[in-house]
């Protein structure tokens, strides 16, 4: 199968959907002729021009709400925030309008808007360029949240997002943007709410999010040498969350660790743990454990690169869980 | 020459400044320039973790404004904040060490280029988010007014922030409440690669003041004396309880938006060359040598700063890394440190 990077795969999905649907337009800073700070729209300006690839001033609040209005009127905007941290200025309207318009209108309005941006500490750019924030959106009724970790999933989830009638957050971790992997030539979509079993195993289940997926796969290889068989699950979307796949795995392994670089409190891991406790309690041989990033804004100095879990942290957390 | 707006007259440069004051302006601009050059080399050598937005070409703005500030006046800065920090009194040592991620940096190594904090001397922080310098500076001014001090607050922001809601809300609030704040727009004609005239149909920032009912002044942002004079008048008004001013400084960054980024495809080499010819430091040096100071005076400062910045770099190089424990300190007021 052909290989491409995560960025290329997501961009191919956007290009295909833009060809299919003339109502799709993209807004953001530098997403026109420049092709986006992270090359998310590279080459598309030449195909679709300035009205469908709209360079904006630094008016996040304005263009987020504008796109909400555009979506309500039958357009299909893609808001490219570059760093997802910049979405924060638009949060008031996202929360009060974007997420609620369908409900408030009794389903008569649709809200086909895609909100995308890069997440993660990665090589830290500091407190204002490193956020994850997805639990905010899991918490609010109305949002879909996709966090792909491979090129294949990036394309398939982007296609689904661009056909969804709900507001979708499409989050791209900086550490996976340049990851290369197989991407099918023929058209495919990946439905929301279907986790992928990224590696099969029988001793312990590890649910990993975004950049933690490749790290956990690496940790699993090391653990395999010690005779530990890890099953790695990538939820791919956290809203909706495919709890059934996680429960089935825990039924098999009896142990669950959630690895997420975002903060622990009220996070993805907390939600998964609560649901597993409610529905899979009898399967558990040990308490559900979480491994998260430090509970602090992102610091820049290179000494803080390990403020989010690294491969050795994951192997250690798995060993600790097996020792319970 | 500076352009006056709304009746604010800018008099002939140099008037009223002593030779020492003039040389101080020169010294300050040069400190910024040499520090930036050092950071550029360090960036290229891979010593800087994170972004590095330089202030090369814009030194006159921070220098001309901050020359009027007392240590208890405050500055709210941008992502392009090295010059603001240095002009407010942060040392090259503290800036360079911060960008190297060292414990001796002005933010202890947690901040890097976009998060320079030294509130002890009124440096209230640079910011990775465009816009809030405007509204937060207005807020500091609110406190100064409430507590009946005569302290003032300064917001620096780029042309990019002018299209952000914070510009409208911050300036309107400060004006209607008569707050002691100076809004300094560093109009360098581009926000990253977006030309200002593609972000707005009215790229005359100072003219917008009329819409809010405060004085608006546009000055040549590469003329330190014009800025010094216009800022001085605005700050005097602010201290005197007469409210805010919008000061637009028309300038240019002569390097890429951020180190390591391309600098082609959105502006011409001719345009860059044109602005380099208007270099604020070289220009002011000519002004000084036109009878205000001797060649010896200027050379002494050149040498002094060369040594200062070399020493600062050696200091940053030999400084220790931060203790990892500081990461979670100061998340709350009582979380240690
Ligand atoms: C709210 C927000 N949106 C987007 C960005 C990304 N960004 C960083 S600097 C910049 C351009 C800023 O232009 P301007 O305000 O003119 O300042 P300059 O860089 O020209 O000094 C942009 C878009 C940001 N930092 N914050
Ligand atoms: Mg600018």
């Amino acid at each position: 199968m052909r290989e491409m990077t995560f960025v290329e795969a997501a961009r191919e999905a956007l290009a295909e959907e833009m060809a299919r649907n003339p109502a799709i337009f993209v807004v953001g800073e530098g997403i026109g002729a420049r092709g986006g700070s992270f090359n998310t729209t590279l080459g598309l300006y030449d195909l679709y021009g300035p009205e469908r690839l709209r360079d904006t001033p630094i008016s996040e609040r304005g263009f987020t709400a504008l796109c909400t209005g555009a979506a309500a009127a039958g357009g299909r905007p893609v808001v490219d925030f570059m760093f997802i941290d910049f979405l924060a200025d638009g949060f008031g309207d996202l929360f009060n309008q974007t997420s609620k318009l369908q409900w408030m209108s009794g389903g008569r309005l649709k809200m086909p808007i895609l909100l995308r941006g890069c997440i993660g500490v990665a090589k830290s750019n500091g407190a204002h360029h490193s956020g994850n924030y997805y639990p905010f959106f899991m918490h609010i009724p109305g949002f879909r949240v996709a966090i792909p970790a491979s090129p294949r999933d990036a394309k398939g989830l982007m296609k689904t997002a661009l056909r969804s009638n709900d507001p979708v957050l499409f989050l791209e971790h900086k550490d996976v943007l340049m990851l290369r992997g197989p991407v099918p030539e023929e058209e495919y979509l990946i439905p929301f709410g279907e986790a992928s079993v990224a590696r099969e195993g029988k001793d312990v289940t590890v649910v990993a999010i975004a950049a933690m997926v490749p790290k956990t796969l690496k940790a699993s290889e090391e653990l395999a040498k010690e005779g530990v068989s890890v099953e790695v699950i990538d939820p791919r979307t956290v809203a909706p969350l495919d709890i059934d796949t996680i429960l089935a795995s825990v039924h098999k392994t009896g142990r669950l660790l959630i690895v997420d670089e975002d903060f622990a409190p009220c996070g993805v891991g907390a939600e998964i743990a609560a649901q597993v406790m409610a529905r899979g309690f009898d399967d558990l041989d040990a308490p559900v454990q979480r491994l998260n990033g430090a509970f602090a804004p992102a610091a820049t100095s290179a000494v803080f690169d390990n403020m989010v879990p690294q491969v050795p942290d994951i192997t250690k957390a798995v060993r600790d869980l097996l020792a319970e | 020459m500076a352009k006056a707006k709304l009746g604010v007259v800018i008099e002939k440069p140099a008037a009223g400044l002593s030779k020492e004051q003039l040389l101080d302006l020169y010294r300050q601009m040069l400190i910024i320039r040499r520090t930036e050059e050092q950071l550029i080399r360090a960036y290229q050598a891979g010593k800087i973790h994170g972004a590095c937005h330089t202030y090369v070409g814009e030194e006159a703005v921070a220098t001309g404004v901050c020359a009027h500030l007392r240590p208890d006046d405050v500055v709210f800065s941008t992502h392009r904040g090295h010059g603001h920090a240095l002009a407010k009194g942060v040392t090259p040592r503290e800036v360079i060490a911060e960008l190297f991620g060292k414990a001796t940096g002005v933010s202890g190594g947690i901040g890097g280029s976009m998060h320079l904090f030294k509130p002890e001397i009124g440096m209230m922080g640079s910011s990775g988010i465009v816009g809030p310098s405007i509204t937060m500076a207005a807020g500091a001014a609110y406190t100064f007014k409430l507590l009946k001090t005569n302290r003032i607050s300064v917001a620096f922001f780029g042309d990019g922030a002018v299209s952000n809601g914070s510009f409208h809300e911050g300036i309107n609030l400060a004006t209607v409440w008569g707050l002691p704040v100076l809004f300094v727009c560093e109009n360098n004609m581009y926000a990253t690669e977006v030309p200002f005239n593609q972000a707005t149909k009215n790229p005359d920032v100072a003219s917008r003041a009329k819409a809010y009912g405060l004085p608006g002044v546009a000055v040549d942002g590469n003329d330190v004396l014009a800025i010094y004079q216009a800022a001085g008048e605005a700050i005097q008004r602010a201290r005197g309880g007469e409210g805010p001013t919008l000061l637009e400084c028309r300038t240019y960054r002569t390097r890429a938006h951020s180190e390591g980024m391309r600098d082609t495809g959105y502006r011409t080499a001719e345009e860059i060359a044109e602005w380099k010819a208007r270099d604020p430091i070289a220009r002011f040096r000519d002004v000084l040598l036109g009878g205000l100071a001797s060649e010896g005076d200027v050379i002494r400062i050149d040498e002094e700063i060369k040594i200062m910045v070399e020493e600062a770099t050696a200091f940053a190089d030999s400084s220790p890394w931060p203790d990892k424990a500081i990461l979670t300190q100061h998340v709350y007021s009582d979380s240690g440190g």
Side-chain angles (χ1 to χ4, degrees):
Chain A
M1 203 184 292
R2 68 178 176 155
E3 297 219 329
M4 58 205 311
T5 66
F6 182 105
V7 174
E8 288 164 351
R11 191 168 65 223
E12 187 173 86
L14 177 59
E16 287 174 10
E17 292 302 304
M18 286 187 83
R20 235 183 120 247
N21 183 350
I24 296 178
F25 66 101
V26 186
V27 307
E29 292 145 28
I31 58 83
R34 195 172 138 219
S37 285
F38 292 101
N39 293 335
T40 48
T41 55
L42 197 67
L44 300 186
Y45 184 87
D46 293 337
L47 297 174
Y48 300 115
E51 214 165 25
R52 296 186 67 195
L53 286 127
R54 172 66 74 183
D55 262 325
T56 65
I58 309 170
S59 307
E60 283 85 1
R61 179 179 180 176
F63 62 67
T64 302
L66 182 148
C67 285
T68 298
R76 185 173 279 278
V78 174
V79 186
D80 190 333
F81 288 100
M82 173 174 13
F83 291 89
I84 205 65
D85 309 70
F86 305 155
L87 168 149
D89 272 8
F91 196 72
D93 296 320
L94 285 176
F95 170 56
N96 272 320
Q97 308 297 344
T98 319
S99 72
K100 295 176 182 166
L101 272 178
Q102 296 197 85
W103 186 85
M104 293 190 297
S105 68
R108 286 166 294 170
L109 292 175
K110 299 288 172 229
M111 193 42 58
I113 181 172
L114 189 147
L115 310 155
R116 75 186 298 186
C118 290
I119 58 170
V121 171
K123 186 177 184 293
S124 175
N125 258 323
H128 289 162
H129 290 75
S130 309
N132 286 294
Y133 309 122
Y134 33 82
F136 297 176
F137 295 90
M138 287 173 76
H139 181 70
I140 294 172
F143 287 115
R144 308 283 191 196
V145 184
I147 319 177
S150 73
R152 187 182 186 283
D153 291 351
K155 180 167 182 191
L157 291 170
M158 174 62 93
K159 301 263 296 188
T160 300
L162 289 170
R163 296 185 194 184
S164 165
N165 276 327
D166 296 324
V168 178
L169 255 95
F170 187 88
L171 304 175
E172 303 156 273
H173 196 289
K174 281 165 260 168
D175 277 341
V176 301
L177 291 180
M178 297 314 290
L179 214 70
R180 289 187 79 78
V183 176
E185 211 88 46
E186 60 284 1
E187 165 146 297
Y188 66 97
L189 278 76
I190 295 175
F192 290 169
E194 269 188 23
S196 100
V197 179
R199 178 186 174 107
E200 286 190 26
K202 55 182 179 33
D203 297 333
V204 55
T205 302
V206 181
V207 174
I209 312 288
M212 293 300 133
V213 176
K215 280 184 183 166
T216 301
L217 289 172
K218 208 169 272 170
S220 305
E221 273 165 38
E222 284 177 25
L223 288 159
K225 289 179 206 146
E226 300 168 16
V228 176
S229 167
V230 181
E231 178 140 302
V232 182
I233 295 180
D234 172 1
R236 302 195 290 195
T237 60
V238 294
L241 178 68
D242 176 6
I243 199 68
D244 290 339
T245 297
I246 296 169
L247 283 166
S249 179
V250 171
H251 181 69
K252 182 167 64 170
T253 65
R255 289 169 201 270
L256 174 61
L257 170 71
I258 302 115
V259 184
D260 179 10
E261 82 159 60
D262 193 28
F263 313 125
C266 306
V268 178
E271 178 59 28
I272 292 173
Q275 292 199 37
V276 169
M277 222 77 84
R279 290 178 52 199
F281 188 74
D282 291 340
D283 288 330
L284 288 169
D285 298 328
V288 176
Q289 294 296 351
R290 292 178 289 171
L291 180 63
N292 290 86
F295 192 53
T300 45
S301 182
V303 298
F304 300 114
D305 276 355
N306 64 352
M307 67 176 287
V308 298
Q310 306 294 331
V311 174
D313 303 317
I314 300 170
T315 48
K316 178 175 184 303
V318 170
R319 285 192 204 108
D320 289 351
L321 179 54
L322 285 166
E324 292 254 4
Chain B
M1 186 51 216
K3 210 163 81 187
K5 292 268 166 179
L6 297 182
V8 177
V9 179
I10 291 159
E11 286 163 17
K12 177 148 172 32
L17 279 179
S18 71
K19 179 177 159 186
E20 270 323 300
Q21 288 175 307
L22 290 166
L23 289 176
D24 280 347
L25 293 177
Y26 180 73
R27 179 180 289 110
Q28 185 58 65
M29 287 198 288
L30 207 59
I31 288 174
I32 299 171
R33 175 69 55 88
R34 296 285 175 259
T35 301
E36 294 290 30
E37 288 169 349
Q38 194 56 54
L39 290 171
I40 291 160
R41 282 190 290 273
Y43 187 91
Q44 289 163 352
K47 289 206 281 189
I48 290 176
H49 205 62
C52 180
H53 305 97
T54 77
Y55 201 57
V56 175
E58 307 187 15
E59 295 89 345
V61 181
T63 300
V65 171
C66 293
H68 295 283
L69 301 183
R70 310 188 311 224
D72 65 342
D73 292 329
V74 298
V75 160
F76 288 83
S77 164
T78 66
H79 58 287
R80 198 175 300 290
H82 309 164
H84 308 141
L86 291 164
K88 192 67 178 74
V90 177
T91 62
R93 278 177 163 218
E94 294 169 305
V95 171
I96 296 172
E98 184 57 41
L99 272 88
F100 285 13
K102 296 299 183 75
T104 52
V106 71
S107 305
I110 64 169
S113 176
M114 290 188 281
H115 304 277
L116 306 171
F117 284 81
K118 195 167 184 185
E120 311 88 286
I121 57 167
M123 179 61 194
M124 302 293 276
S126 48
S127 169
I129 300 294
V130 169
S133 64
I134 302 172
T135 31
M136 293 198 299
Y142 194 96
T143 293
F144 297 159
K145 187 165 189 247
L146 177 75
L147 300 181
K148 300 190 170 37
T149 70
N150 67 349
R151 297 164 69 185
I152 65 128
S153 173
V154 176
F156 288 102
F157 54 96
D159 49 282
V162 171
S163 303
N164 190 271
S166 54
F167 177 89
H168 170 73
E169 297 189 30
I171 291 181
N172 185 60
L173 291 171
T175 307
V176 74
W177 293 339
L179 304 180
V181 50
L182 173 59
F183 297 108
V184 182
C185 177
E186 302 179 315
N187 181 358
N188 60 11
M189 299 165 37
Y190 295 91
T192 314
E193 299 188 5
V194 180
F196 194 33
N197 64 15
Q198 279 179 29
T200 176
K201 280 280 183 194
N202 175 13
D204 182 348
V205 177
S207 77
R208 296 181 186 218
K210 201 164 181 191
Y212 300 102
L214 84 168
V217 187
V219 294
D220 178 346
N222 283 28
D223 179 347
V224 70
L225 290 173
I227 294 158
Y228 180 86
Q229 178 132 6
E233 287 164 14
I235 287 169
Q236 203 178 351
R237 266 201 307 281
R239 279 204 212 287
E242 292 171 65
T245 302
L246 173 60
L247 178 63
E248 175 189 4
C249 302
R250 294 185 181 157
T251 183
Y252 200 81
R253 64 169 159 75
T254 51
R255 293 194 61 83
H257 170 73
S258 183
E259 287 308 301
M261 267 176 79
R262 69 164 192 181
D263 196 24
T264 52
Y266 70 100
R267 58 185 193 176
T268 63
E270 292 75 47
E271 185 182 279
I272 299 172
E274 233 173 75
W275 279 91
K276 278 188 174 165
R278 277 184 246 171
D279 183 85
I281 299 177
R283 256 173 84 184
F284 188 53
R285 191 184 165 106
D286 288 346
V287 170
L288 290 175
L289 294 180
L292 298 168
S294 73
E295 188 133 10
D297 293 330
V298 171
I299 289 173
R300 252 193 310 282
I301 292 174
D302 294 353
E303 297 282 300
E304 172 200 324
I305 288 158
K306 188 166 171 281
I307 292 165
M308 175 193 284
V309 174
E310 277 168 9
E311 186 276 333
T313 309
F315 168 82
D317 273 326
S318 63
S319 288
W321 295 103
D323 177 351
K324 285 184 192 168
I326 69 167
L327 181 63
T328 49
Q329 282 172 5
H330 310 298
V331 173
Y332 302 100
S333 59
D334 58 358
S335 56

